Structure formats: C-alpha cells, structure tokens
Amino acid sequence: MTDRYAVIGNPVAHSLSPEIHAEFARATGEDVSYTRILAPLDGFKEAVLKFRDGGGRGLNVTLPFKREAWRLSGRHAGYALEAGAVNTLAFDGPHIVGHNTDGPGIVYDIRNNLGRVVRGKRVLLMGAGGATYGVMEPLMREQPESLVVANRTLENAIALVGHFEKLQQYAARGIVARPYSALAGMQFDIVINATSAGLSGAMPDLPSGLFAEGALAYDMVYGGAAPFLEFAATQGAQVSDGLGMLVEQAAESFQIWRGVRPATKPVIARLRALRKR
Ligand code: ATR
C-alpha cells in the first residue's frame, strides 16, 4: 500500500517539497505519495492528528509551525531537542517523533554541493528566529573559527547565544551576538542569511566590506526576493540561494522515513533547469 506523507504550512501552495519527494520516490522505487496541507493558523495540531489518524506516515513542517511542531512532538530526535523547532514529523504508531533536518541540510549543501569547508572559517549568521535555532548545532559542530550572530533586535541574538552556550566549545574564538551596526570593519568567510527579511523584499542593514576574499553568501530562504544575494554579488561574494539546502533537508527527511537517502544532485539540477524556463 502507498505510504502517505505531506508538507504542512500556511501558506504552503508554493512549496517545492511535493516535486522533490516525487523525484525521490521515482529514483528509489519507494511506494510513497506526498501532498500539501494548508493548516489554519490556529488549527495546526488538529490537522496533524487528522493526517496521522487517517493513516499518514509523516509530515514536513514549514512556516509558521516549526516551533508548534516541536511542542507537539512526544519525543525529539537528534538536533531537534536543542533546536526548539522541528521540520520533520515521523509517526511511530500513535507517537509523534520530531526531527530537524534543516541543519544537516545546510551543512550538507555547503560541504558536498558547494565544496566549502566551515572548519576554521569566520561565519556570520544573520537572524535569531526559528530558522537560526534550527541550524545552530550542526553548523557549530563543523567547528568554525568564530560565529557572529547578528540580529535587528539584539536581545533575540543574545538570548539565542545564551541558549546555545554549550556549543561555544566548537568555535576556537567563540560565539557572540552583535547588532548589524557593529559589523563595520569586520570580515567573514561565510555569511548566512537566516532572516525572513527577503520575504518582504528587504535585507538586513549590512555595511560594505563584510565579505572576505572568496567569501560565500548563503540565503536560507529559497524562493523569496533576493536583495541580500544581489548585495553580496556586488561585493564580490560567491552566492547561493538555498535550493540545495531545500533538497538536502528533504533527502534527510526521506531517509528518516524510508531508511534510504536519495541522490540529490540530479534533483537540484532538474529544479534549476525548470526555474530557468
Ligand atoms: P522564524 O521563526 O520563522 O525564523 P521569526 O522568529 O519571526 O521567524 O524570525 C525572523 C528573523 O528575521 C528574526 O531574526 C527577525 O529579526 P528580529 O528578531 O529583529 O525581528 C529577522 N527579520 C525579519 N525581517 C527583517 C528585516 N526587514 N531586517 C532584518 N531582520 C529581519
């Protein structure tokens, strides 16, 4: 019998996850279906339970429900516990297990698709919301030289750095919170945008000269306007738009559900080709 999965969010119409998982199913021969579920903003839990009770096997969770999904999970696997947000639910009988594959997804993309090393590098992470919480631990385990978390509301960045105090051990020069205005004069090898600013066509207020020679600028939110990447390109950085992360986090979810990790490069290439048409 076909096993059913879906992505749940609000909005969810533009999610590429059904296309990605359909490709994975074809490539691996797994008998799965994957659809979209639009949950009312005040009806996430009901929608999840309805899907589970109707025989669904698992869900991907997107905005704005990742924290709520964490609270709904009876058990947290891997990085999900500390992240406080989950993007993947697996139903084990009546039990709901929460996973977060966003962090492994971005690390995999940076390392395997972009051929970049995080170890020993100066990393700037912009934003202090759910997206940032989701990637902190996997990113830190790559052992950057330093991590600066910059945010418009400094208190949120300070709270985030405090929450992940234990991860200080992974960075030789530590993790610090800074306002954007304090970045003038600093340089980074990897700059990651985890803010939602692009969704409204905006970007954090960044000074010039931020990117070290050969730096990578990475936008975690795929599909929005990209003023940050445009700015980064004018500053000489190599830019990446988050499509790779989207496919890699999907592959991690597929592996959790099905026990097999599909090949991702052909899927990324196909989605890029479709977008160019
Ligand atoms: P999520 O949990 O989905 O990541 P969020 O908690 O609303 O969403 O966090 C969004 C992040 O984007 C926050 O870091 C937010 O900054 P504030 O903490 O100051 O609100 C950041 N953000 C959103 N719009 C922004 C903008 N125009 N410029 C800079 N940062 C922005």
Side-chain angles (χ1 to χ4, degrees):
M1 207 179 69
T2 304
D3 287 332
R4 291 166 50 226
Y5 299 86
V7 55
I8 183 165
N10 186 335
V12 76
H14 294 100
S15 170
L16 288 176
S17 293
E19 280 78 19
I20 295 170
H21 281 275
E23 295 265 349
F24 288 168
R26 258 194 300 277
T28 59
E30 291 287 308
D31 187 9
V32 300
S33 72
Y34 191 107
T35 53
R36 294 180 181 84
I37 298 174
L38 176 67
L41 290 176
D42 61 352
F44 173 72
K45 181 178 176 183
E46 291 69 24
V48 170
L49 299 185
K50 187 176 162 200
F51 185 74
R52 180 198 64 183
D53 296 343
R57 300 292 305 274
L59 289 167
N60 279 133
V61 181
T62 187
L63 300 178
F65 300 125
K66 291 185 182 184
R67 288 177 201 253
E68 203 175 338
W70 187 89
R71 293 194 292 272
L72 187 59
S73 302
R75 191 156 68 77
H76 301 95
Y79 302 123
L81 183 62
E82 288 297 321
V86 309
N87 73 331
T88 305
L89 298 175
F91 303 133
D92 178 13
H95 304 292
I96 301 178
V97 185
H99 302 255
N100 195 316
T101 67
D102 285 331
I106 190 173
V107 167
Y108 197 103
D109 189 38
I110 289 175
R111 204 173 45 204
N112 296 51
N113 299 328
L114 303 174
R116 294 287 189 136
V117 179
V118 175
R119 192 187 168 104
K121 296 292 191 287
R122 298 161 290 178
V123 179
L124 170 62
L125 189 50
M126 302 187 293
T132 305
Y133 276 82
V135 301
M136 274 295 286
E137 186 166 351
L139 205 55
M140 290 309 301
R141 282 175 180 268
E142 292 297 299
Q143 304 185 332
E145 180 188 88
S146 58
L147 180 79
V148 174
V149 179
N151 198 48
R152 185 177 57 182
T153 311
L154 182 60
E155 299 79 65
N156 294 346
I158 291 172
L160 181 136
V161 171
H163 177 85
F164 288 107
E165 180 65 36
K166 274 191 282 189
L167 299 180
Q168 290 281 1
Q169 57 173 313
Y170 293 111
R173 298 173 74 92
I175 309 173
V176 294
R178 293 282 182 268
Y180 292 115
S181 57
L183 301 178
M186 298 176 81
Q187 283 213 314
F188 299 92
D189 306 298
I190 300 178
V191 179
I192 301 171
N193 181 21
T195 76
S196 53
L199 296 175
S200 51
M203 64 171 265
D205 197 5
L206 296 177
S208 292
L210 203 60
F211 298 93
E213 199 177 333
L216 172 68
Y218 196 100
D219 204 327
M220 277 176 49
V221 180
Y222 176 73
F228 162 63
L229 292 185
E230 284 160 21
F231 169 77
T234 66
Q235 297 277 310
Q238 180 199 343
V239 301
S240 183
D241 64 3
L243 179 64
M245 175 180 173
L246 187 66
V247 175
E248 298 301 345
Q249 63 79 30
E252 297 282 332
S253 298
F254 196 90
Q255 181 169 33
I256 287 166
W257 294 328
R258 310 303 301 180
V260 50
R261 196 181 199 282
T264 48
K265 283 204 166 87
V267 181
I268 295 170
R270 203 173 121 75
L271 289 172
R272 282 218 190 284
L274 281 176
R275 207 181 59 151
K276 281 203 186 110
R277 277 211 230 146

